[in-house]
Amino acid sequence: MKKKTIVIVDDHLLFAQSLESLITKLEEYEVLAILKNGKELTQYYLHKRKKPDLILLDVKMPVMDGVQTMQWLKKNRPEQKVLALTMEDDEETIIKMLRAGAKGYLLKDIHPENFEFAMKMVIEQGFYYSGKVESALKHSEGFDPVEDFQERLTDKERGFLKYACSELTYKDIAAEMGLSPKTIENYRETVFKKLQVKTRVGLVIYCIKNNLFKI
């Protein structure tokens, strides 16, 4: 059986080694390398070492952090599948990683069985979100995303949605659209309801998965 290959990028050596030990116990997977930051990952590629099926990427690292690493991968290795595995659970960080191309976002306290399932889903299906991130996207079956976007939302709401997929704060969005923060808050709640998502992260995931914007 050909094993799925993994590269771990995490500056916490003890955690990375424990993660390697966990993965090694799974018959389907093998770890090709443990790297301490994104800079080491770029060197890994420059030396033309074997491309992994999946990169497990920490977010908060010295030298070259997770967001910078994702930006480099998006430009230089856009086909590379990456699963963020981190302690950073704030909305801003999650959105940055998703916009940069991460295919999944997990917190480090995830159960080992869920972790294995997440790796499998990213490698085979292309996306996986769990915990806080997965709960952000509760979209029911039967919707046509493009039809939802075009017909369910007004022009102003579509404009708001595009800004919501950026790194602007809601206050900044209000300034860009020339509207009051209260009006933006109303747009947010209306769009949440129409697209059946619960958070801004959910909106971003919805748009990424359905290619509604170039993010």
Side-chain angles (χ1 to χ4, degrees):
M1 178 182 66
K2 184 179 178 181
K3 294 190 176 184
K4 302 295 184 183
T5 53
I6 308 292
V7 165
I8 300 169
V9 185
D10 195 306
D11 65 310
H12 293 95
L13 184 59
L14 184 60
F15 175 81
Q17 290 177 337
S18 297
L19 190 59
E20 179 186 28
S21 178
L22 172 63
I23 294 170
T24 301
K25 292 177 182 178
L26 305 174
E27 294 183 0
E28 295 181 46
Y29 303 93
E30 66 172 319
V31 175
L32 298 178
I34 295 177
L35 309 173
K36 294 194 294 293
N37 53 61
K39 186 66 175 178
E40 289 194 2
L41 181 63
T42 65
Q43 292 300 313
Y44 178 95
Y45 280 108
L46 290 175
H47 285 90
K48 298 181 179 179
R49 296 179 65 184
K50 184 177 180 181
K51 173 183 173 294
D53 292 303
L54 180 67
I55 291 174
L56 298 174
L57 180 64
D58 193 11
V59 175
K60 195 171 183 179
M61 299 179 293
V63 184
M64 188 172 177
D65 66 21
V67 174
Q68 293 170 324
T69 303
M70 281 306 313
Q71 291 168 343
W72 185 90
L73 287 169
K74 189 173 185 179
K75 181 179 179 180
N76 296 279
R77 296 291 189 278
E79 75 289 347
Q80 178 65 64
K81 293 178 180 177
V82 179
L83 180 57
L85 187 60
T86 179
M87 294 302 294
E88 307 299 314
D89 66 348
D90 62 284
E91 189 175 77
E92 181 181 356
T93 300
I94 295 172
I95 290 174
K96 283 182 178 179
M97 290 296 288
L98 297 180
R99 281 173 51 82
K103 302 302 182 184
Y105 197 105
L106 301 177
L107 300 183
K108 287 182 176 179
D109 60 358
I110 189 172
H111 190 281
E113 289 183 4
N114 293 336
F115 170 64
E116 181 182 359
F117 180 70
M119 289 198 299
K120 179 180 176 68
M121 289 299 293
V122 171
I123 292 172
E124 297 181 2
Q125 303 297 326
F127 276 97
Y128 180 79
Y129 302 101
S130 72
K132 177 180 178 180
V133 182
E134 186 170 291
S135 67
L137 184 60
K138 293 295 184 182
H139 199 274
S140 62
E141 297 180 0
F143 283 146
D144 180 327
V146 177
E147 182 180 333
D148 286 344
F149 177 68
Q150 293 176 342
E151 296 185 8
R152 287 177 175 266
L153 305 185
T154 66
D155 288 343
K156 284 288 189 180
E157 289 166 352
R158 288 197 292 271
F160 162 77
L161 182 56
K162 188 170 184 178
Y163 280 121
C165 290
S166 74
E167 295 175 17
L168 295 176
T169 65
Y170 286 126
K171 183 178 179 180
D172 292 336
I173 293 172
E176 287 289 333
M177 296 184 72
L179 299 169
S180 70
K182 181 62 177 178
T183 300
I184 292 301
E185 183 179 330
N186 291 337
Y187 280 154
R188 180 190 65 196
E189 296 307 315
T190 299
V191 172
F192 280 4
K193 185 175 181 179
K194 286 184 176 181
L195 298 184
Q196 295 192 5
V197 298
K198 294 186 175 182
T199 70
R200 185 173 179 178
V201 173
L203 290 180
V204 175
I205 296 172
Y206 180 86
C207 291
I208 290 173
K209 293 183 74 172
N210 297 296
N211 297 311
L212 296 182
F213 300 120
K214 184 178 180 181
I215 295 177

